[in-house]
Amino acid sequence: MVLLCILRAFRLPTNYTYFERLLYGPVYCLCRLLWRVEIVGSRKMVDLYRGRAVIVANHRCSLDPFFLQLAAGQRVHWMVAGEYFKNPIFGPVLNLFQAIPTNRSGADNASMKRAIRLASEGKFVGMFPEGRINRTCRPLLNIRPGAAMVARKSGAALIPCWIEGAPSGWAVWSGLFMSAHVRVYIGQAITIESEERSQLTPDQLIELSMRQALDLGGHHRFPVELARHRVRIPPS
């Protein structure tokens, strides 16, 4: 079964290099066998949305990028807290998969510019608007508008997602040793091409996106609240 999963990983229609697929094989096995990731709707984002996109989702587990990567069907450039790049185990892997180091405070023009450039080139960029792992009983923490800023500057669509059933623990690596049944719900792309959407502010765009994400998870009455801290958008 493990061998079949590894072989399946090599056949994935992604833009990974051969060496990256070799490393992705074990991750694919864990997603399918240990965490039993189910993509609700059975179609990957790359099949639904062609071109530039910014993926946004709730964040319950350090493994969330793995689940969304499987749902995406192609490489996703994740914005990841800079301290993880200093880890001797995670750092080289993050660099290999072209993740974007960012400052947790949100005041990081370099990472924002890089995300905008990648999205402008037609790549998938992944961001968690909560800014950190949600370890509370609330469905969603207060959110920041950085993803909407990247989408507006690059002309990319926002793709809201909801992750349910992710293994969680207090340590970053806890989920690696926990079985789960993860469901990834993919929402409708939110574009800013229409005249009505083009008038929305980044705050309004990210609220609209995460409202849809909450609805995907069945949290229809939970309010979307913005964090007090604002992310500055760098000049072009």
Side-chain angles (χ1 to χ4, degrees), residues 8 27 41 76 80 112 119 136 152 161 203 208 216 218 221 226 229:
R8 179 68 181 88
V27 173
V76 179
V80 180
M112 288 287 285
T136 73
R152 180 176 288 283
C161 297
D203 283 359
L208 181 64
L216 289 169
R221 296 186 178 182
L226 288 161
H229 181 80

Side-chain angles (χ1 to χ4, degrees), residues 143-229:
I143 59 174
R144 296 169 173 81
M149 293 177 176
V150 172
R152 180 176 288 283
K153 273 284 191 176
S154 64
L158 284 161
I159 303 180
C161 297
W162 186 262
I163 304 170
E164 183 180 289
S168 60
W170 288 104
V172 173
W173 56 83
S174 297
L176 290 170
F177 309 100
M178 302 169 64
S179 62
H181 182 189
V182 181
R183 293 183 176 87
V184 179
Y185 298 84
I186 304 174
Q188 296 294 319
I190 296 174
T191 64
I192 57 175
E193 295 174 352
S194 67
E195 182 177 352
E196 180 182 357
R197 292 267 174 83
S198 65
Q199 302 303 314
L200 297 179
T201 66
D203 283 359
Q204 292 171 322
L205 281 170
I206 201 64
E207 285 185 75
L208 181 64
S209 300
M210 297 314 292
R211 175 72 269 156
Q212 186 183 145
L214 282 165
D215 289 343
L216 289 169
H219 304 284
H220 306 290
R221 296 186 178 182
F222 189 82
V224 178
E225 298 179 0
L226 288 161
R228 291 182 179 180
H229 181 80

Side-chain angles (χ1 to χ4, degrees), residues 129-140:
E130 293 169 284
R132 61 190 184 280
I133 295 175
N134 180 4
R135 303 188 189 280
T136 73
C137 59
R138 301 175 61 195
L140 192 72

Side-chain angles (χ1 to χ4, degrees), residues 14-222:
T14 69
N15 54 352
Y16 288 162
T17 65
Y18 183 86
F19 183 60
E20 288 170 337
R21 291 190 184 206
L22 181 64
L23 291 180
Y24 186 64
V27 173
Y28 184 85
C29 287
L30 289 170
C31 283
R32 289 305 191 189
L33 301 179
L34 181 62
W35 304 314
R36 294 180 292 158
V37 179
E38 176 186 355
I39 304 167
V40 178
S42 74
R43 296 189 65 189
K44 295 180 179 179
M45 294 179 210
V46 72
D47 299 322
L48 295 170
Y49 310 113
R50 299 290 178 179
R52 62 194 72 172
V54 178
I55 301 167
V56 292
N58 61 315
H59 196 19
R60 283 281 182 180
C61 172
S62 59
L63 304 171
D64 288 338
F66 290 164
F67 311 143
L68 289 167
Q69 181 70 59
L70 189 67
Q74 73 172 41
R75 182 202 302 278
V76 179
H77 298 271
W78 290 100
M79 296 192 78
V80 180
E83 57 262 33
Y84 290 119
F85 287 80
K86 300 175 183 178
N87 185 288
I89 297 176
F90 297 124
V93 175
L94 291 171
N95 283 316
L96 179 65
F97 285 108
Q98 302 178 34
I100 306 169
T102 185
N103 189 328
R104 283 188 187 274
S105 70
D108 191 341
N109 283 350
S111 63
M112 288 287 285
K113 285 182 177 179
R114 184 176 173 189
I116 291 168
R117 176 178 58 80
L118 288 167
S120 298
E121 294 172 354
K123 309 291 178 57
F124 278 7
V125 172
M127 301 177 69
F128 296 108
E130 293 169 284
R132 61 190 184 280
I133 295 175
N134 180 4
R135 303 188 189 280
T136 73
C137 59
R138 301 175 61 195
L140 192 72
L141 300 176
N142 291 359
I143 59 174
R144 296 169 173 81
M149 293 177 176
V150 172
R152 180 176 288 283
K153 273 284 191 176
S154 64
L158 284 161
I159 303 180
C161 297
W162 186 262
I163 304 170
E164 183 180 289
S168 60
W170 288 104
V172 173
W173 56 83
S174 297
L176 290 170
F177 309 100
M178 302 169 64
S179 62
H181 182 189
V182 181
R183 293 183 176 87
V184 179
Y185 298 84
I186 304 174
Q188 296 294 319
I190 296 174
T191 64
I192 57 175
E193 295 174 352
S194 67
E195 182 177 352
E196 180 182 357
R197 292 267 174 83
S198 65
Q199 302 303 314
L200 297 179
T201 66
D203 283 359
Q204 292 171 322
L205 281 170
I206 201 64
E207 285 185 75
L208 181 64
S209 300
M210 297 314 292
R211 175 72 269 156
Q212 186 183 145
L214 282 165
D215 289 343
L216 289 169
H219 304 284
H220 306 290
R221 296 186 178 182
F222 189 82

Side-chain angles (χ1 to χ4, degrees), residues 1-11 25 28-29 33:
M1 181 66 73
V2 173
L3 180 59
L4 288 174
C5 282
I6 292 176
L7 291 174
R8 179 68 181 88
F10 272 85
R11 295 180 59 191
Y28 184 85
C29 287
L33 301 179

